[in-house]
Amino acid sequence: MAGRTALIAGRGALPAHLARALAAGNEPFVIAQVEGFEMENPDGLPVETFALERLALLFDHLHDRGVERVVMAGAVTRPRLDPERIDPKTAQLLPRILPLLAQGDDAALRAVLALFEEDGFTVAGADAIAPDLLPDPGVPTRARPGSADKADAARAAGIVAALGAADVGQGAVVAQGLCLAVETLPGTDAMLDWVVATAGACRPDPGGARGVFLKAPKPDQDRRIDLPTIGPATIEAAARAGLAGVAVEAGGVLVLDPDATIARADALGLFLWIRPPCGSS
């Protein structure tokens, strides 16, 4: 029998979704949750919590549990480390980790990923467990993007590419060619809340295009970690912001519970566009 999979869990619904997929395939797994970043756990799954200050001890524990594959799932922002909690073995890793914590999220995640690999684990992406989370290109909703929406999405894609190159964010809202908001450390919900609060003053033509929220991975991102994610709640937030729809890069954005996400978009009159990456045919 193949070794266990460990889900290194952060906030959000993704870890539970992946756990269900593993259970459905009768694949053994454990969930190791980052302390302070509790996952959504509606199924009451058994979860072990670990502190980042004791990362090396986690490696030992996972080896003892027969773990061979690691999948990172869920949102984790850079925490403040408590020096008094750091064990001697983890302290040996700090000279490599600490300088990267002062950089962008991608740099920090790459460093953590490398540590797992050097300790003998295989690191896989969420789509290796649940390939249905990466839908094919197209528009699965009844509403469809118009020419103005497509132009706004293209403008947003350029903005996200520029932000991603600076390791800043993975989303932007554009309406009538104007950037209303970009995603930064507070995340998607905070960005869309800003649009709710300011949208009336930002759209020059009240009867014009309502705007598009676009989400895409960063350029050259290691797609095994930190892929952007949307779901039904994203659609609801976009509707509150008065947007016409949501566009995501095909192959680069996880869509949690695709059927429910599409149904919610249909109910609210928004489109969901699984948009081919820029430069593809």
Side-chain angles (χ1 to χ4, degrees), residues 31-254:
I31 302 175
Q33 175 178 264
V34 183
E35 185 179 84
F37 300 94
E38 288 71 23
M39 60 178 272
E40 295 176 18
N41 192 7
D43 302 333
L45 298 165
V47 174
E48 303 176 28
T49 300
F50 73 95
L52 286 173
E53 292 92 341
R54 299 177 179 179
L55 185 62
L57 299 184
L58 172 68
F59 292 166
D60 293 342
H61 177 65
L62 295 181
H63 284 304
D64 290 342
R65 296 290 302 273
V67 169
E68 295 181 359
R69 180 174 67 167
V70 167
V71 176
M72 299 184 183
V76 177
T77 55
R78 282 163 287 171
R80 294 180 180 177
L81 300 180
D82 182 352
E84 295 184 359
R85 301 183 67 190
I86 298 172
D87 66 275
K89 191 171 181 180
T90 302
Q92 298 176 30
L93 305 177
L94 292 183
R96 294 178 54 188
I97 297 175
L98 290 179
L100 294 171
L101 288 178
Q103 299 180 26
D105 291 336
D106 196 47
L109 286 169
R110 284 177 187 267
V112 173
L113 181 150
L115 293 175
F116 273 97
E117 290 183 316
E118 290 172 14
D119 217 75
F121 299 103
T122 297
V123 179
D127 57 303
I129 296 174
D132 62 299
L133 295 181
L134 290 176
D136 294 329
V139 181
T141 50
R142 291 194 292 269
R144 305 184 68 82
S147 58
D149 300 319
K150 291 180 179 180
D152 282 342
R155 170 76 169 137
I159 292 168
V160 170
L163 289 172
D167 200 3
V168 173
Q170 300 170 310
V173 176
V174 170
Q176 302 175 25
L178 302 176
C179 182
L180 305 190
V182 296
E183 185 180 72
T184 55
L185 190 60
T188 297
D189 290 344
M191 177 189 65
L192 291 174
D193 286 344
W194 169 260
V195 177
V196 172
T198 62
C202 292
R203 293 179 178 90
D205 180 1
R210 304 202 310 273
V212 176
F213 167 44
L214 179 131
K215 207 162 177 69
K218 299 169 184 175
D220 302 322
Q221 179 172 331
D222 188 325
R223 299 198 174 197
R224 294 173 297 172
I225 51 173
D226 194 33
L227 273 187
T229 302
I230 70 162
T234 311
I235 299 296
E236 292 173 359
R240 289 194 300 272
L243 303 179
V246 174
V248 300
E249 182 179 304
V253 177
L254 303 171

